[in-house]
Amino acid sequence: MDDTIDAVQADRDLKNKHRAMWALGDYPALATDIIAGLGPALVRASRIRPGDRVLDVAAGSGNAAIPAALYGASVVAGDLTPELFDAGRRRAAELGAEVEWREADAEAMPFADNEFDTVMSCVGVMFAPHHQASADELVRVCRPGGTIGLLSWTPEGFIGQMFATMKPYAPPPPPGAQPPPLWGREEHVRALFGHRVTDIVATRHTVRIDQFRSPEDFRDYFKTRYGPTIAVYRNIADDPARVAALDHELADLARRFDHGTDGTVMNWEYLLLTARKW
């Protein structure tokens, strides 16, 4: 009994840390400024139609939920960090999109079995720590014949390599937690879903990033706006040498991916995967 109570408390503490991390900085601004095109790309790939009942898992400020609503779908945006919803509500109101915002843990969602025609996540569910639990929930709340659509950063792409760069400076992950970029490997996602889905279509794409004046500009932008990066810097804040080392490594990473001639231009790779639930 004590072991069960301890495990429940440990999971609750972990989720509280995740919620606090994503509330740091200004993820809604980053999603709008840098990767606004990803949500519409996922909506198109998921073939969302007017009247569909759609769930956006780990929706953040609605980067995919709002475009789905503009297609005429009935959309629920769920996220562990409801602090992100205010920006989403403002953006939805500006565009005339109707979205229902619900606090929801991707690993234990407050929705009924088979409730949605489409269940999607745009660089969201990949950050839930327990991949199998999240995959099970994606399948559970999708109706038979419905669509599961996922857009995830790849391990080899820029964001996957950014997390690899930050890993030595971050606290050790809790037992059982898996690296987010694994969702960017088709074979990993296939293993998570198993025989519960069919008609899997997985393709790799890139998004062009040209908003930064220099590699250092990219680094400083993420240091102030992206929760995971902010959290890593806070972990080493009392060690100036390590802060300087991470500063150098993040700028160098952007420099290695840069193929621009006037400012920094990068292509960030992601996996776009859709499947149909049996």
Side-chain angles (χ1 to χ4, degrees):
M1 177 64 73
D2 289 344
D3 288 345
T4 300
I5 294 172
D6 289 345
V8 170
Q9 185 59 48
D11 186 68
R12 185 179 295 117
D13 292 344
L14 175 59
K15 297 302 171 57
N16 285 338
K17 288 180 181 178
H18 271 243
R19 173 176 172 169
M21 179 184 71
W22 288 105
L24 295 171
D26 192 350
Y27 184 75
L30 187 152
T32 300
D33 295 344
I34 308 300
I35 55 171
L38 297 188
L42 177 59
V43 169
R44 290 190 297 270
S46 300
R47 298 183 179 180
I48 290 171
R49 299 165 298 182
D52 282 354
R53 178 76 166 156
V54 175
L55 173 64
D56 185 7
V57 180
S61 53
N63 193 34
I66 293 171
L70 293 173
Y71 267 56
S74 173
V75 182
V76 177
D79 200 281
L80 184 68
T81 307
E83 290 88 342
L84 302 174
F85 291 166
D86 286 345
R89 290 188 180 101
R90 290 193 298 270
R91 181 63 175 164
E94 290 171 2
L95 297 175
E98 293 187 11
V99 176
E100 178 184 350
W101 304 88
R102 293 278 302 276
E103 183 174 348
D105 179 356
E107 298 178 2
M109 293 191 283
F111 307 113
D113 295 355
N114 308 319
E115 185 172 345
F116 296 94
D117 299 303
T118 299
V119 179
M120 63 178 182
S121 188
C122 182
V123 293
V125 73
M126 65 180 291
F127 292 103
H130 305 111
H131 294 188
Q132 191 62 62
S134 299
D136 292 348
E137 283 292 272
L138 295 174
V139 174
R140 180 184 67 80
V141 300
C142 186
R143 68 165 175 82
T147 298
I148 298 172
L150 303 172
L151 193 154
S152 308
W153 301 118
T154 65
E156 302 84 5
F158 181 82
I159 296 296
Q161 289 300 297
M162 186 183 76
F163 274 90
T165 298
M166 295 191 300
K167 183 178 179 180
Y169 301 91
Q178 294 176 278
L182 285 179
W183 283 90
R185 287 184 176 160
E186 178 184 348
E187 61 271 23
H188 180 69
V189 182
R190 284 181 176 271
L192 292 173
F193 289 147
H195 297 297
R196 297 174 296 178
V197 303
T198 186
D199 298 340
I200 292 177
V201 177
T203 53
R204 291 191 176 212
H205 305 268
T206 60
V207 55
R208 177 184 170 93
I209 306 298
D210 58 6
Q211 292 87 347
F212 301 113
R213 297 183 301 274
S214 67
E216 290 75 17
D217 185 34
F218 149 77
R219 178 200 64 209
D220 294 343
Y221 183 98
F222 268 64
K223 282 178 67 172
T224 58
R225 290 172 177 82
Y226 191 55
T229 305
I230 296 170
V232 169
Y233 272 97
R234 287 188 176 184
N235 184 59
I236 59 173
D238 60 351
D239 190 336
R242 297 190 78 200
V243 170
L246 182 55
D247 276 348
H248 172 78
E249 289 189 37
L250 287 177
D252 188 59
L253 175 69
R255 195 168 287 109
R256 294 201 308 271
F257 274 78
D258 181 18
H259 62 268
T261 56
D262 183 15
T264 298
V265 179
M266 297 178 280
N267 290 321
W268 295 0
E269 186 182 61
Y270 61 88
L271 179 74
L272 185 57
L273 183 145
T274 60
R276 181 169 60 87
K277 178 179 172 179
W278 276 108

